[in-house]
Amino acid sequence: MIRASCLCQGIALEIRGEIRDLLYCHCSMCRKSHGSAFRARGRVRTADLHWVRGEAQVRYYESSPGEHRGFCSVCGSNILTRFDARPKEVGLALGILDDDPGARPMCHVFVGSKAPWHEITDSLPRFDEFPQGWAKSPDPG
Ligand SMILES: [Zn+2]
Ligand SMILES: [Zn+2]
């Protein structure tokens, strides 16, 4: 079990399963949404997501058609992204994790949209969009 919570602690959830496909997204929507150089996110099965408290405190913003970014309506923490086309999975913001997910980010995506003031200094693969194989389940959140 992996625990997660928002800044104000009003929202808490547990992931009873694995977090997969961890990556860093440098697209402009993720940068604005997080107020940061990039978004660190992973893929979680909706069935593995269990709310401990605060589900009603999550507000959603539809940043692209069918893509709903959920955040804490009290403290603003990014929580998860839901996809109308793929209800069986969510994109989880890794910054809210309280436990080590075990897996590590495997690449950077949308580096063509990278903030000019941010320099990527690790050796992970970099992609201008999503790497091959992601095309079948495009998952920008
Ligand atoms: Zn909060
Ligand atoms: Zn993004």
Side-chain angles (χ1 to χ4, degrees):
M1 183 190 69
I2 304 164
R3 293 169 299 172
S5 59
C6 69
L7 177 60
C8 76
Q9 293 297 306
I11 295 168
L13 48 87
E14 295 174 355
I15 296 104
R16 299 177 196 159
E18 61 174 338
I19 303 176
R20 296 175 294 115
D21 298 339
L22 283 65
L23 55 74
Y24 300 115
C25 185
H26 296 261
C27 84
S28 62
M29 287 192 292
C30 284
R31 289 194 284 108
K32 287 185 183 296
S33 167
H34 284 259
S36 186
F38 51 82
R39 163 180 172 89
R41 58 96 69 200
R43 198 191 297 244
V44 170
R45 290 175 56 227
T46 306
D48 291 338
L49 189 72
H50 297 270
W51 296 93
V52 175
R53 61 179 178 273
E55 183 173 9
Q57 196 169 308
V58 181
R59 293 274 294 276
Y60 289 91
Y61 171 67
E62 191 169 8
S63 57
S64 303
E67 180 177 330
H68 307 268
R69 292 173 185 257
F71 57 94
C72 175
S73 58
V74 175
C75 70
S77 292
N78 283 268
I79 307 293
L80 50 74
T81 305
R82 294 187 185 278
F83 309 93
D84 288 348
R86 294 186 309 288
K88 290 183 178 175
E89 69 172 57
V90 301
L92 187 77
L94 300 181
I96 64 168
L97 293 180
D98 295 311
D99 294 322
D100 186 341
R104 295 290 180 262
M106 57 188 184
C107 64
H108 297 268
V109 298
F110 290 97
V111 296
S113 303
K114 182 178 77 61
W117 47 266
H118 173 67
E119 184 184 356
I120 298 171
T121 54
D122 62 40
S123 56
L124 293 175
R126 304 174 191 186
F127 300 96
D128 277 336
E129 294 186 3
F130 280 103
Q132 279 197 335
W134 282 76
K136 287 174 188 155
S137 55
D139 199 359

